[in-house]
mmCIF file of all heavy atoms in Angstrom:
data_model
loop_
_atom_site.group_PDB
_atom_site.id
_atom_site.type_symbol
_atom_site.label_atom_id
_atom_site.label_comp_id
_atom_site.label_asym_id
_atom_site.label_seq_id
_atom_site.Cartn_x
_atom_site.Cartn_y
_atom_site.Cartn_z
ATOM 1 N N GLN A 172 0.826 -1.210 0.000
ATOM 2 C CA GLN A 172 0.000 0.000 0.000
ATOM 3 C C GLN A 172 0.860 1.260 0.000
ATOM 4 O O GLN A 172 0.592 2.208 -0.738
ATOM 5 C CB GLN A 172 -0.919 0.021 1.226
ATOM 6 C CG GLN A 172 -2.060 -0.935 1.163
ATOM 7 C CD GLN A 172 -2.873 -0.941 2.458
ATOM 8 O OE1 GLN A 172 -2.480 -0.376 3.479
ATOM 9 N NE2 GLN A 172 -4.032 -1.585 2.410
ATOM 10 N N THR A 173 1.897 1.258 0.818
ATOM 11 C CA THR A 173 2.754 2.443 0.917
ATOM 12 C C THR A 173 3.537 2.656 -0.371
ATOM 13 O O THR A 173 3.643 3.788 -0.864
ATOM 14 C CB THR A 173 3.704 2.322 2.120
ATOM 15 O OG1 THR A 173 2.936 2.071 3.301
ATOM 16 C CG2 THR A 173 4.506 3.597 2.314
ATOM 17 N N LEU A 174 4.068 1.593 -0.962
ATOM 18 C CA LEU A 174 4.797 1.731 -2.226
ATOM 19 C C LEU A 174 3.882 2.226 -3.346
ATOM 20 O O LEU A 174 4.282 3.072 -4.151
ATOM 21 C CB LEU A 174 5.450 0.406 -2.621
ATOM 22 C CG LEU A 174 6.689 0.014 -1.814
ATOM 23 C CD1 LEU A 174 7.074 -1.433 -2.081
ATOM 24 C CD2 LEU A 174 7.850 0.959 -2.092
ATOM 25 N N ARG A 175 2.655 1.718 -3.399
ATOM 26 C CA ARG A 175 1.704 2.197 -4.418
ATOM 27 C C ARG A 175 1.397 3.674 -4.225
ATOM 28 O O ARG A 175 1.325 4.438 -5.191
ATOM 29 C CB ARG A 175 0.418 1.375 -4.365
ATOM 30 C CG ARG A 175 0.581 0.007 -4.969
ATOM 31 C CD ARG A 175 -0.718 -0.762 -4.955
ATOM 32 N NE ARG A 175 -0.517 -2.108 -5.489
ATOM 33 C CZ ARG A 175 -1.289 -3.138 -5.230
ATOM 34 N NH1 ARG A 175 -2.355 -2.989 -4.457
ATOM 35 N NH2 ARG A 175 -1.046 -4.308 -5.751
ATOM 36 N N ARG A 176 1.192 4.074 -2.975
ATOM 37 C CA ARG A 176 0.921 5.484 -2.685
ATOM 38 C C ARG A 176 2.125 6.346 -3.065
ATOM 39 O O ARG A 176 1.983 7.417 -3.659
ATOM 40 C CB ARG A 176 0.574 5.656 -1.204
ATOM 41 C CG ARG A 176 0.250 7.060 -0.812
ATOM 42 C CD ARG A 176 -1.082 7.477 -1.360
ATOM 43 N NE ARG A 176 -1.406 8.812 -0.901
ATOM 44 C CZ ARG A 176 -1.972 9.725 -1.654
ATOM 45 N NH1 ARG A 176 -2.331 9.436 -2.885
ATOM 46 N NH2 ARG A 176 -2.231 10.917 -1.185
ATOM 47 N N MET A 177 3.314 5.892 -2.743
ATOM 48 C CA MET A 177 4.522 6.635 -3.083
ATOM 49 C C MET A 177 4.693 6.752 -4.597
ATOM 50 O O MET A 177 5.158 7.780 -5.084
ATOM 51 C CB MET A 177 5.745 5.967 -2.450
ATOM 52 C CG MET A 177 5.781 6.069 -0.937
ATOM 53 S SD MET A 177 7.112 5.100 -0.192
ATOM 54 C CE MET A 177 8.529 6.077 -0.688
ATOM 55 N N GLU A 178 4.295 5.713 -5.316
ATOM 56 C CA GLU A 178 4.348 5.755 -6.781
ATOM 57 C C GLU A 178 3.355 6.798 -7.305
ATOM 58 O O GLU A 178 3.682 7.585 -8.197
ATOM 59 C CB GLU A 178 4.047 4.374 -7.347
ATOM 60 C CG GLU A 178 4.309 4.254 -8.827
ATOM 61 C CD GLU A 178 4.087 2.837 -9.350
ATOM 62 O OE1 GLU A 178 3.574 1.978 -8.621
ATOM 63 O OE2 GLU A 178 4.429 2.622 -10.532
ATOM 64 N N GLN A 179 2.150 6.831 -6.737
ATOM 65 C CA GLN A 179 1.155 7.834 -7.138
ATOM 66 C C GLN A 179 1.657 9.246 -6.876
ATOM 67 O O GLN A 179 1.375 10.169 -7.639
ATOM 68 C CB GLN A 179 -0.158 7.634 -6.373
ATOM 69 C CG GLN A 179 -0.947 6.432 -6.777
ATOM 70 C CD GLN A 179 -2.164 6.237 -5.871
ATOM 71 O OE1 GLN A 179 -2.158 6.617 -4.692
ATOM 72 N NE2 GLN A 179 -3.207 5.648 -6.429
ATOM 73 N N LEU A 180 2.384 9.424 -5.780
ATOM 74 C CA LEU A 180 2.892 10.738 -5.396
ATOM 75 C C LEU A 180 4.199 11.089 -6.106
ATOM 76 O O LEU A 180 4.804 12.111 -5.806
ATOM 77 C CB LEU A 180 3.109 10.786 -3.876
ATOM 78 C CG LEU A 180 1.854 10.628 -3.025
ATOM 79 C CD1 LEU A 180 2.221 10.466 -1.553
ATOM 80 C CD2 LEU A 180 0.915 11.810 -3.236
ATOM 81 N N THR A 181 4.642 10.250 -7.022
ATOM 82 C CA THR A 181 5.880 10.409 -7.802
ATOM 83 C C THR A 181 7.136 10.442 -6.926
ATOM 84 O O THR A 181 8.111 11.095 -7.257
ATOM 85 C CB THR A 181 5.841 11.643 -8.734
ATOM 86 O OG1 THR A 181 5.883 12.837 -7.960
ATOM 87 C CG2 THR A 181 4.630 11.623 -9.642
ATOM 88 N N LEU A 182 7.109 9.706 -5.820
ATOM 89 C CA LEU A 182 8.273 9.622 -4.946
ATOM 90 C C LEU A 182 9.149 8.424 -5.282
ATOM 91 O O LEU A 182 10.342 8.431 -4.998
ATOM 92 C CB LEU A 182 7.838 9.542 -3.477
ATOM 93 C CG LEU A 182 7.000 10.720 -2.981
ATOM 94 C CD1 LEU A 182 6.529 10.470 -1.560
ATOM 95 C CD2 LEU A 182 7.783 12.014 -3.082
ATOM 96 N N VAL A 183 8.533 7.378 -5.839
ATOM 97 C CA VAL A 183 9.282 6.205 -6.278
ATOM 98 C C VAL A 183 8.859 5.838 -7.686
ATOM 99 O O VAL A 183 7.758 6.170 -8.135
ATOM 100 C CB VAL A 183 9.090 4.965 -5.362
ATOM 101 C CG1 VAL A 183 9.626 5.205 -3.968
ATOM 102 C CG2 VAL A 183 7.663 4.497 -5.346
ATOM 103 N N GLN A 184 9.769 5.146 -8.365
ATOM 104 C CA GLN A 184 9.472 4.602 -9.687
ATOM 105 C C GLN A 184 9.514 3.088 -9.560
ATOM 106 O O GLN A 184 10.446 2.523 -8.976
ATOM 107 C CB GLN A 184 10.509 5.074 -10.696
ATOM 108 C CG GLN A 184 10.298 4.519 -12.075
ATOM 109 C CD GLN A 184 11.347 5.043 -13.047
ATOM 110 O OE1 GLN A 184 12.216 5.838 -12.713
ATOM 111 N NE2 GLN A 184 11.271 4.576 -14.277
ATOM 112 N N ARG A 185 8.498 2.446 -10.093
ATOM 113 C CA ARG A 185 8.411 0.984 -10.080
ATOM 114 C C ARG A 185 8.913 0.472 -11.418
ATOM 115 O O ARG A 185 8.478 0.934 -12.472
ATOM 116 C CB ARG A 185 6.956 0.561 -9.875
ATOM 117 C CG ARG A 185 6.727 -0.914 -9.839
ATOM 118 C CD ARG A 185 5.229 -1.151 -9.579
ATOM 119 N NE ARG A 185 4.935 -2.532 -9.343
ATOM 120 C CZ ARG A 185 4.455 -3.362 -10.255
ATOM 121 N NH1 ARG A 185 4.202 -2.936 -11.488
ATOM 122 N NH2 ARG A 185 4.207 -4.622 -9.954
ATOM 123 N N ARG A 186 9.835 -0.475 -11.367
ATOM 124 C CA ARG A 186 10.369 -1.072 -12.594
ATOM 125 C C ARG A 186 10.046 -2.554 -12.600
ATOM 126 O O ARG A 186 10.377 -3.267 -11.653
ATOM 127 C CB ARG A 186 11.870 -0.886 -12.664
ATOM 128 C CG ARG A 186 12.245 0.537 -12.915
ATOM 129 C CD ARG A 186 13.591 0.613 -13.594
ATOM 130 N NE ARG A 186 13.853 1.990 -13.944
ATOM 131 C CZ ARG A 186 14.946 2.639 -13.612
ATOM 132 N NH1 ARG A 186 15.876 2.030 -12.936
ATOM 133 N NH2 ARG A 186 15.109 3.883 -13.971
ATOM 134 N N ARG A 187 9.399 -2.976 -13.671
ATOM 135 C CA ARG A 187 9.100 -4.400 -13.873
ATOM 136 C C ARG A 187 10.035 -4.940 -14.926
ATOM 137 O O ARG A 187 10.243 -4.327 -15.971
ATOM 138 C CB ARG A 187 7.663 -4.588 -14.342
ATOM 139 C CG ARG A 187 6.671 -4.507 -13.228
ATOM 140 C CD ARG A 187 5.252 -4.725 -13.651
ATOM 141 N NE ARG A 187 5.119 -5.620 -14.800
ATOM 142 C CZ ARG A 187 3.998 -5.780 -15.458
ATOM 143 N NH1 ARG A 187 2.917 -5.131 -15.106
ATOM 144 N NH2 ARG A 187 3.923 -6.598 -16.479
ATOM 145 N N TYR A 188 10.571 -6.099 -14.657
ATOM 146 C CA TYR A 188 11.470 -6.747 -15.598
ATOM 147 C C TYR A 188 10.774 -7.967 -16.179
ATOM 148 O O TYR A 188 10.126 -8.725 -15.455
ATOM 149 C CB TYR A 188 12.770 -7.165 -14.900
ATOM 150 C CG TYR A 188 13.575 -5.981 -14.407
ATOM 151 C CD1 TYR A 188 13.362 -5.461 -13.125
ATOM 152 C CD2 TYR A 188 14.518 -5.373 -15.216
ATOM 153 C CE1 TYR A 188 14.086 -4.373 -12.675
ATOM 154 C CE2 TYR A 188 15.250 -4.289 -14.776
ATOM 155 C CZ TYR A 188 15.020 -3.794 -13.501
ATOM 156 O OH TYR A 188 15.741 -2.708 -13.064
ATOM 157 N N ALA A 189 10.911 -8.140 -17.480
ATOM 158 C CA ALA A 189 10.287 -9.273 -18.176
ATOM 159 C C ALA A 189 11.154 -10.507 -17.986
ATOM 160 O O ALA A 189 11.954 -10.878 -18.844
ATOM 161 C CB ALA A 189 10.108 -8.955 -19.654
ATOM 162 N N GLU A 190 11.018 -11.093 -16.821
ATOM 163 C CA GLU A 190 11.786 -12.281 -16.472
ATOM 164 C C GLU A 190 10.835 -13.318 -15.901
ATOM 165 O O GLU A 190 9.713 -13.006 -15.522
ATOM 166 C CB GLU A 190 12.847 -11.959 -15.409
ATOM 167 C CG GLU A 190 13.873 -10.953 -15.844
ATOM 168 C CD GLU A 190 14.825 -10.578 -14.710
ATOM 169 O OE1 GLU A 190 14.592 -10.987 -13.550
ATOM 170 O OE2 GLU A 190 15.787 -9.865 -14.987
ATOM 171 N N ALA A 191 11.308 -14.538 -15.808
ATOM 172 C CA ALA A 191 10.533 -15.574 -15.142
ATOM 173 C C ALA A 191 11.380 -16.090 -13.984
ATOM 174 O O ALA A 191 12.488 -16.574 -14.220
ATOM 175 C CB ALA A 191 10.192 -16.702 -16.107
ATOM 176 N N PRO A 192 10.954 -15.953 -12.755
ATOM 177 C CA PRO A 192 9.728 -15.282 -12.314
ATOM 178 C C PRO A 192 9.854 -13.765 -12.466
ATOM 179 O O PRO A 192 10.966 -13.237 -12.545
ATOM 180 C CB PRO A 192 9.624 -15.681 -10.842
ATOM 181 C CG PRO A 192 11.020 -15.956 -10.416
ATOM 182 C CD PRO A 192 11.731 -16.484 -11.637
ATOM 183 N N PRO A 193 8.709 -13.069 -12.507
ATOM 184 C CA PRO A 193 8.736 -11.614 -12.673
ATOM 185 C C PRO A 193 9.518 -10.941 -11.537
ATOM 186 O O PRO A 193 9.489 -11.404 -10.406
ATOM 187 C CB PRO A 193 7.267 -11.200 -12.617
ATOM 188 C CG PRO A 193 6.487 -12.447 -12.738
ATOM 189 C CD PRO A 193 7.374 -13.583 -12.366
ATOM 190 N N ARG A 194 10.203 -9.870 -11.890
ATOM 191 C CA ARG A 194 10.985 -9.124 -10.900
ATOM 192 C C ARG A 194 10.542 -7.667 -10.931
ATOM 193 O O ARG A 194 10.360 -7.082 -11.998
ATOM 194 C CB ARG A 194 12.473 -9.228 -11.231
ATOM 195 C CG ARG A 194 13.358 -8.480 -10.250
ATOM 196 C CD ARG A 194 14.829 -8.815 -10.437
ATOM 197 N NE ARG A 194 15.321 -8.521 -11.769
ATOM 198 C CZ ARG A 194 16.235 -7.582 -12.037
ATOM 199 N NH1 ARG A 194 16.732 -6.843 -11.075
ATOM 200 N NH2 ARG A 194 16.638 -7.393 -13.274
ATOM 201 N N VAL A 195 10.375 -7.097 -9.743
ATOM 202 C CA VAL A 195 9.973 -5.698 -9.596
ATOM 203 C C VAL A 195 10.963 -5.027 -8.649
ATOM 204 O O VAL A 195 11.368 -5.617 -7.642
ATOM 205 C CB VAL A 195 8.539 -5.583 -9.019
ATOM 206 C CG1 VAL A 195 8.164 -4.139 -8.730
ATOM 207 C CG2 VAL A 195 7.538 -6.209 -9.962
ATOM 208 N N GLU A 196 11.350 -3.804 -8.979
ATOM 209 C CA GLU A 196 12.205 -2.998 -8.106
ATOM 210 C C GLU A 196 11.604 -1.614 -7.960
ATOM 211 O O GLU A 196 10.923 -1.125 -8.860
ATOM 212 C CB GLU A 196 13.614 -2.857 -8.690
ATOM 213 C CG GLU A 196 14.441 -4.092 -8.651
ATOM 214 C CD GLU A 196 15.849 -3.860 -9.191
ATOM 215 O OE1 GLU A 196 16.062 -2.892 -9.963
ATOM 216 O OE2 GLU A 196 16.721 -4.661 -8.845
ATOM 217 N N TYR A 197 11.885 -1.007 -6.830
ATOM 218 C CA TYR A 197 11.461 0.370 -6.574
ATOM 219 C C TYR A 197 12.700 1.222 -6.370
ATOM 220 O O TYR A 197 13.666 0.806 -5.720
ATOM 221 C CB TYR A 197 10.563 0.443 -5.342
ATOM 222 C CG TYR A 197 9.201 -0.142 -5.594
ATOM 223 C CD1 TYR A 197 8.963 -1.491 -5.386
ATOM 224 C CD2 TYR A 197 8.169 0.652 -6.071
ATOM 225 C CE1 TYR A 197 7.716 -2.041 -5.633
ATOM 226 C CE2 TYR A 197 6.912 0.115 -6.311
ATOM 227 C CZ TYR A 197 6.698 -1.223 -6.097
ATOM 228 O OH TYR A 197 5.458 -1.768 -6.342
ATOM 229 N N GLU A 198 12.644 2.426 -6.944
ATOM 230 C CA GLU A 198 13.763 3.358 -6.858
ATOM 231 C C GLU A 198 13.213 4.752 -6.592
ATOM 232 O O GLU A 198 12.150 5.124 -7.102
ATOM 233 C CB GLU A 198 14.532 3.339 -8.178
ATOM 234 C CG GLU A 198 15.749 4.207 -8.200
ATOM 235 C CD GLU A 198 16.559 4.021 -9.482
ATOM 236 O OE1 GLU A 198 16.021 3.519 -10.488
ATOM 237 O OE2 GLU A 198 17.742 4.387 -9.461
ATOM 238 N N LEU A 199 13.936 5.535 -5.810
ATOM 239 C CA LEU A 199 13.510 6.907 -5.542
ATOM 240 C C LEU A 199 13.588 7.760 -6.804
ATOM 241 O O LEU A 199 14.523 7.625 -7.594
ATOM 242 C CB LEU A 199 14.386 7.552 -4.471
ATOM 243 C CG LEU A 199 14.281 7.010 -3.057
ATOM 244 C CD1 LEU A 199 15.292 7.712 -2.155
ATOM 245 C CD2 LEU A 199 12.871 7.181 -2.510
ATOM 246 N N THR A 200 12.608 8.632 -6.965
ATOM 247 C CA THR A 200 12.664 9.651 -8.004
ATOM 248 C C THR A 200 13.429 10.847 -7.438
ATOM 249 O O THR A 200 13.858 10.835 -6.269
ATOM 250 C CB THR A 200 11.244 10.093 -8.402
ATOM 251 O OG1 THR A 200 10.627 10.664 -7.247
ATOM 252 C CG2 THR A 200 10.418 8.928 -8.932
ATOM 253 N N VAL A 201 13.565 11.892 -8.225
ATOM 254 C CA VAL A 201 14.215 13.120 -7.725
ATOM 255 C C VAL A 201 13.430 13.653 -6.527
ATOM 256 O O VAL A 201 14.018 14.032 -5.505
ATOM 257 C CB VAL A 201 14.312 14.179 -8.849
ATOM 258 C CG1 VAL A 201 14.794 15.508 -8.299
ATOM 259 C CG2 VAL A 201 15.235 13.683 -9.958
ATOM 260 N N ALA A 202 12.102 13.657 -6.621
ATOM 261 C CA ALA A 202 11.281 14.139 -5.503
ATOM 262 C C ALA A 202 11.491 13.270 -4.268
ATOM 263 O O ALA A 202 11.551 13.781 -3.135
ATOM 264 C CB ALA A 202 9.806 14.148 -5.900
ATOM 265 N N GLY A 203 11.610 11.973 -4.455
ATOM 266 C CA GLY A 203 11.864 11.075 -3.328
ATOM 267 C C GLY A 203 13.214 11.336 -2.692
ATOM 268 O O GLY A 203 13.348 11.382 -1.459
ATOM 269 N N HIS A 204 14.248 11.520 -3.537
ATOM 270 C CA HIS A 204 15.585 11.839 -3.013
ATOM 271 C C HIS A 204 15.565 13.143 -2.226
ATOM 272 O O HIS A 204 16.260 13.268 -1.212
ATOM 273 C CB HIS A 204 16.607 11.950 -4.151
ATOM 274 C CG HIS A 204 17.272 10.650 -4.479
ATOM 275 N ND1 HIS A 204 18.264 10.104 -3.719
ATOM 276 C CD2 HIS A 204 17.067 9.791 -5.502
ATOM 277 C CE1 HIS A 204 18.653 8.963 -4.251
ATOM 278 N NE2 HIS A 204 17.937 8.739 -5.331
ATOM 279 N N ASP A 205 14.777 14.107 -2.700
ATOM 280 C CA ASP A 205 14.716 15.397 -2.009
ATOM 281 C C ASP A 205 14.100 15.291 -0.619
ATOM 282 O O ASP A 205 14.304 16.164 0.223
ATOM 283 C CB ASP A 205 13.953 16.420 -2.846
ATOM 284 C CG ASP A 205 14.760 16.925 -4.038
ATOM 285 O OD1 ASP A 205 15.975 16.638 -4.108
ATOM 286 O OD2 ASP A 205 14.169 17.605 -4.900
ATOM 287 N N LEU A 206 13.350 14.228 -0.345
ATOM 288 C CA LEU A 206 12.800 14.020 1.001
ATOM 289 C C LEU A 206 13.873 13.574 1.996
ATOM 290 O O LEU A 206 13.646 13.632 3.206
ATOM 291 C CB LEU A 206 11.677 12.974 0.976
ATOM 292 C CG LEU A 206 10.291 13.477 0.660
ATOM 293 C CD1 LEU A 206 9.308 12.314 0.607
ATOM 294 C CD2 LEU A 206 9.829 14.506 1.686
ATOM 295 N N LEU A 207 15.008 13.125 1.505
ATOM 296 C CA LEU A 207 16.063 12.685 2.417
ATOM 297 C C LEU A 207 16.570 13.833 3.290
ATOM 298 O O LEU A 207 16.933 13.616 4.443
ATOM 299 C CB LEU A 207 17.213 12.044 1.650
ATOM 300 C CG LEU A 207 16.910 10.654 1.099
ATOM 301 C CD1 LEU A 207 17.986 10.231 0.097
ATOM 302 C CD2 LEU A 207 16.773 9.643 2.214
ATOM 303 N N GLY A 208 16.584 15.051 2.764
ATOM 304 C CA GLY A 208 17.027 16.207 3.559
ATOM 305 C C GLY A 208 16.222 16.364 4.837
ATOM 306 O O GLY A 208 16.790 16.392 5.941
ATOM 307 N N PRO A 209 14.879 16.463 4.739
ATOM 308 C CA PRO A 209 14.081 16.561 5.967
ATOM 309 C C PRO A 209 14.194 15.323 6.857
ATOM 310 O O PRO A 209 14.151 15.435 8.080
ATOM 311 C CB PRO A 209 12.648 16.732 5.458
ATOM 312 C CG PRO A 209 12.765 17.204 4.061
ATOM 313 C CD PRO A 209 14.077 16.686 3.547
ATOM 314 N N ILE A 210 14.363 14.146 6.261
ATOM 315 C CA ILE A 210 14.502 12.924 7.065
ATOM 316 C C ILE A 210 15.798 12.985 7.873
ATOM 317 O O ILE A 210 15.808 12.681 9.074
ATOM 318 C CB ILE A 210 14.448 11.670 6.167
ATOM 319 C CG1 ILE A 210 13.019 11.488 5.630
ATOM 320 C CG2 ILE A 210 14.912 10.429 6.927
ATOM 321 C CD1 ILE A 210 12.883 10.444 4.534
ATOM 322 N N TYR A 211 16.895 13.395 7.243
ATOM 323 C CA TYR A 211 18.153 13.538 7.974
ATOM 324 C C TYR A 211 18.031 14.608 9.063
ATOM 325 O O TYR A 211 18.559 14.436 10.164
ATOM 326 C CB TYR A 211 19.301 13.883 7.026
ATOM 327 C CG TYR A 211 19.694 12.783 6.069
ATOM 328 C CD1 TYR A 211 20.154 13.088 4.793
ATOM 329 C CD2 TYR A 211 19.617 11.444 6.422
ATOM 330 C CE1 TYR A 211 20.532 12.083 3.904
ATOM 331 C CE2 TYR A 211 19.989 10.440 5.536
ATOM 332 C CZ TYR A 211 20.439 10.767 4.287
ATOM 333 O OH TYR A 211 20.815 9.779 3.408
ATOM 334 N N ALA A 212 17.356 15.708 8.755
ATOM 335 C CA ALA A 212 17.178 16.774 9.749
ATOM 336 C C ALA A 212 16.377 16.268 10.948
ATOM 337 O O ALA A 212 16.720 16.571 12.098
ATOM 338 C CB ALA A 212 16.488 17.985 9.111
ATOM 339 N N LEU A 213 15.333 15.490 10.706
ATOM 340 C CA LEU A 213 14.570 14.917 11.815
ATOM 341 C C LEU A 213 15.425 13.951 12.628
ATOM 342 O O LEU A 213 15.320 13.914 13.861
ATOM 343 C CB LEU A 213 13.323 14.191 11.296
ATOM 344 C CG LEU A 213 12.139 15.088 10.963
ATOM 345 C CD1 LEU A 213 11.056 14.270 10.261
ATOM 346 C CD2 LEU A 213 11.589 15.752 12.202
ATOM 347 N N GLY A 214 16.260 13.182 11.944
ATOM 348 C CA GLY A 214 17.170 12.287 12.660
ATOM 349 C C GLY A 214 18.103 13.043 13.579
ATOM 350 O O GLY A 214 18.337 12.630 14.725
ATOM 351 N N GLU A 215 18.640 14.164 13.114
ATOM 352 C CA GLU A 215 19.506 14.995 13.953
ATOM 353 C C GLU A 215 18.740 15.550 15.138
ATOM 354 O O GLU A 215 19.252 15.584 16.264
ATOM 355 C CB GLU A 215 20.113 16.131 13.130
ATOM 356 C CG GLU A 215 21.155 15.668 12.140
ATOM 357 C CD GLU A 215 21.734 16.804 11.318
ATOM 358 O OE1 GLU A 215 21.623 17.987 11.725
ATOM 359 O OE2 GLU A 215 22.293 16.513 10.249
ATOM 360 N N TRP A 216 17.499 15.977 14.900
ATOM 361 C CA TRP A 216 16.675 16.510 15.981
ATOM 362 C C TRP A 216 16.418 15.441 17.040
ATOM 363 O O TRP A 216 16.546 15.686 18.237
ATOM 364 C CB TRP A 216 15.352 17.054 15.429
ATOM 365 C CG TRP A 216 14.524 17.695 16.483
ATOM 366 C CD1 TRP A 216 14.540 19.013 16.842
ATOM 367 C CD2 TRP A 216 13.559 17.061 17.326
ATOM 368 N NE1 TRP A 216 13.651 19.233 17.869
ATOM 369 C CE2 TRP A 216 13.031 18.048 18.176
ATOM 370 C CE3 TRP A 216 13.096 15.760 17.447
ATOM 371 C CZ2 TRP A 216 12.073 17.774 19.130
ATOM 372 C CZ3 TRP A 216 12.129 15.476 18.400
ATOM 373 C CH2 TRP A 216 11.626 16.473 19.237
ATOM 374 N N VAL A 217 16.070 14.229 16.598
ATOM 375 C CA VAL A 217 15.805 13.133 17.537
ATOM 376 C C VAL A 217 17.074 12.779 18.304
ATOM 377 O O VAL A 217 17.022 12.530 19.515
ATOM 378 C CB VAL A 217 15.233 11.897 16.803
ATOM 379 C CG1 VAL A 217 15.198 10.683 17.709
ATOM 380 C CG2 VAL A 217 13.840 12.202 16.277
ATOM 381 N N ASP A 218 18.209 12.771 17.628
ATOM 382 C CA ASP A 218 19.469 12.484 18.304
ATOM 383 C C ASP A 218 19.735 13.504 19.403
ATOM 384 O O ASP A 218 20.217 13.161 20.482
ATOM 385 C CB ASP A 218 20.616 12.472 17.280
ATOM 386 C CG ASP A 218 21.930 12.034 17.894
ATOM 387 O OD1 ASP A 218 21.956 10.970 18.549
ATOM 388 O OD2 ASP A 218 22.929 12.753 17.719
#
């Protein structure tokens, strides 16, 4: 559910590979990578 939502929000890109068995990977988009800044800042705050 979370990966599908993130895909809708353009935070991740889903890649399907035509293999047997099927293979799927998720990768951050530019918008997803840009969320790392606030995540790191929150980590520093919690620390």
Side-chain angles (χ1 to χ4, degrees):
Q172 287 176 349
T173 306
L174 286 168
R175 285 182 183 157
R176 181 72 177 140
M177 292 173 71
E178 190 176 9
Q179 288 174 331
L180 296 171
T181 70
L182 301 175
V183 296
Q184 178 179 358
R185 180 178 188 261
R186 289 206 174 127
R187 281 182 30 191
Y188 295 89
E190 298 175 352
R194 180 169 58 114
V195 174
E196 289 183 338
Y197 288 89
E198 183 173 19
L199 292 176
T200 62
V201 172
H204 270 283
D205 286 350
L206 274 177
L207 287 167
I210 290 169
Y211 292 147
L213 280 171
E215 289 179 19
W216 184 91
V217 169
D218 186 51

